[in-house]
Amino acid sequence: MRFIGNKESLSAKIYALLLKHHSIESHPKFPQSFFDMFAGSASMGKFFKAKGFQVYSCDLLYFSFCLQKAYIQNNQIPTFQGLQSIIQSSQNLADSLFANDISPYQKVLSFLDSIPAQKGFIYHHYAPSGSKHLAQPRMYFSDENAAKIDTIRMQIETWKQKQSINENEYFILLTTLIESLSFYANVAGVYAAFCKKWDKRALKPLTLKEIEIFPSDIKHFCACGDSIEVLQKIESKQVLDILYLDPPYNHRQYAPNYHLIETIAKYDNPKIKGVAGLRDWQHQKSAFCNAKTALIELEKITKLNNYKHLVLSYNSEGIMQKAQIDELLNPLGKVIFESFAYPRFKSNAKDGDKYIKEYVWIVQKA
Ligand SMILES: C[S@@+](CC[C@H](N)C(=O)[O-])C[C@H]1O[C@@H](n2cnc3c(N)ncnc32)[C@H](O)[C@@H]1O
């Protein structure tokens, strides 16, 4: 998904470094463990799960947790057994039921795409007609797409309450909605503000697209909250092979920048305020976005005793200086450092300034 700091294109490079310098590879009988401590879009967890690692994953954001549940913890292609009667009674799916190559998952998405729209929280607060009483009506989604998001979100919740879908199916459907809606949002990358003119893609009718499922025989774990607290809880139980750290680089907090996805994921009718309609995010503040506390937090992680390797992603414009990080990591053991030119996130790009240096440290604890 479009997410600041998404490491999808860096995952193979980091894996190659781990193989080259530490011969770290996972084997089906003896899987190595990988803890993605700042999971965001879950891109690194997905990559290492596909390579056969046992993945632990965590983030402060609830919508990231939904992605982790669907991509990391879920190991099965969904069958939607509990929805067979609902799907089969749907007249507009009658034709597709005879087509064997259409999966139950795709049939459920077609059903969700076809329900008559019902206006809800997103329409009333984030679409122009619903928020027309405001001095600046909000234009995050077209009226039609906002109502469609409400309709789909409410239906997923109803199915969950009626136990028509299991936990994995619930998070697969939520993740499908979260991933799909980002293609129709009228924003320039993040949700801290909406565009004052309609982007062409925001006017197209929203349709749901299947997400990739990552089957696996290994039990994986994910959590929502402060990763350091989660790591401290598992400290006495297990020594992890790899801790992967990709903390925020600058003062920009993630929660206000992704507030609307968070609200769609939680669908909890929050109190909102301001031109952008922000929900309260004080409990989701990251200490890594503050120059005074970032290094202290990093030090807390390095001092834990339950890991063999620590991999840190950071960049040349981060609020922690490279020399400070070197000073913290070098005494821990054998340290490898690499840097790559990396495309800047679109909404941060200025003319002629399209690349930043992405740093990677790999520490093998002595
Ligand atoms: C640079 S992004 C990670 C991007 C991710 N690697 C990806 O590929 O999408 C940083 C993430 O760290 C999360 N975060 C910040 N502080 C955290 C903390 N103390 N515990 C857990 N997650 C945190 C943010 O919510 C954000 O999703």
Side-chain angles (χ1 to χ4, degrees), residues 113-360:
D113 269 332
S114 69
I115 312 174
Q118 201 187 334
K119 295 167 188 168
F121 192 83
I122 303 305
Y123 174 88
H124 289 300
H125 296 282
Y126 297 100
S129 296
S131 63
K132 63 174 183 255
H133 58 285
L134 298 174
Q136 168 72 73
R138 298 192 186 109
M139 296 169 59
Y140 277 105
F141 293 106
S142 69
D143 288 346
E144 294 74 18
N145 284 342
K148 187 159 185 184
I149 291 168
D150 280 320
T151 312
I152 294 170
R153 184 63 189 86
M154 288 187 270
Q155 182 63 69
I156 296 171
E157 206 58 34
T158 304
W159 281 340
K160 182 192 174 200
Q161 277 160 14
K162 288 185 174 167
Q163 299 183 348
S164 307
I165 50 178
N166 62 33
E167 187 183 285
N168 285 336
E169 290 165 346
Y170 176 70
F171 284 109
I172 287 169
L173 292 179
L174 277 190
T175 297
T176 307
L177 177 61
I178 292 166
E179 294 275 21
S180 300
L181 68 84
S182 67
F183 293 105
Y184 302 91
N186 193 36
V187 296
V190 293
Y191 293 75
F194 50 87
C195 300
K196 307 299 178 294
K197 285 188 183 155
W198 288 109
D199 187 303
K200 257 194 240 154
R201 72 195 151 82
L203 296 173
K204 292 186 185 154
L206 184 149
T207 51
L208 296 170
K209 286 168 204 68
E210 283 186 54
I211 62 160
E212 189 177 356
I213 303 293
F214 294 81
S216 156
D217 295 327
I218 300 169
K219 190 167 165 52
H220 306 274
F221 301 89
C222 42
C224 185
D226 185 317
S227 288
I228 301 178
E229 286 171 18
V230 171
L231 188 56
Q232 280 163 342
K233 274 185 204 147
I234 48 178
E235 178 163 30
S236 53
K237 294 182 199 141
Q238 197 183 345
V239 176
L240 296 159
D241 294 301
I242 302 171
L243 291 189
Y244 176 64
L245 280 51
D246 185 21
Y249 307 139
N250 57 27
H251 294 96
R252 212 145 66 134
Q253 293 279 351
Y254 276 75
N257 278 299
Y258 290 95
H259 68 101
L260 187 46
I261 307 194
E262 195 73 351
T263 292
I264 293 168
K266 288 189 168 164
Y267 214 61
D268 55 353
N269 299 331
K271 279 197 183 137
I272 58 170
K273 62 179 183 189
V275 176
L278 251 68
R279 59 185 292 124
D280 177 36
W281 54 274
Q282 294 309 308
H283 58 293
Q284 290 172 307
K285 266 189 177 171
S286 174
F288 282 94
C289 296
N290 179 323
K292 285 191 190 136
T293 50
L295 210 60
I296 298 171
E297 290 297 290
L298 182 59
E299 189 171 10
K300 271 192 213 162
I301 300 174
T302 61
K303 284 195 167 150
L304 292 169
N305 284 321
N306 61 341
Y307 67 92
K308 293 183 187 163
H309 299 87
L310 182 148
V311 179
L312 171 67
S313 283
Y314 211 58
N315 77 34
S316 48
E317 295 178 357
I319 54 180
M320 293 187 281
Q321 301 306 306
K322 178 178 177 299
Q324 293 176 307
I325 298 176
D326 284 339
E327 200 180 319
L328 193 62
L329 299 186
N330 285 339
L332 295 174
K334 183 180 159 198
V335 180
I336 301 231
F337 173 79
E338 288 276 346
S339 96
F340 308 96
Y342 195 72
R344 190 183 289 277
F345 189 71
K346 209 175 158 198
S347 75
N348 293 343
K350 291 176 231 125
D351 283 344
D353 199 9
K354 298 216 164 54
Y355 289 88
I356 49 174
K357 266 190 198 155
E358 189 68 43
Y359 295 153
V360 179

Side-chain angles (χ1 to χ4, degrees), residues 87-97 110-111 113-116:
I87 296 166
Q88 281 167 12
S89 67
S90 164
Q91 188 54 41
N92 54 8
L93 272 181
D95 290 344
S96 62
L97 285 172
S110 303
F111 174 82
D113 269 332
S114 69
I115 312 174

Side-chain angles (χ1 to χ4, degrees), residues 91-111:
Q91 188 54 41
N92 54 8
L93 272 181
D95 290 344
S96 62
L97 285 172
F98 296 104
N100 291 331
D101 55 343
I102 297 179
S103 67
Y105 177 24
Q106 185 53 55
K107 287 177 188 170
V108 171
L109 297 193
S110 303
F111 174 82

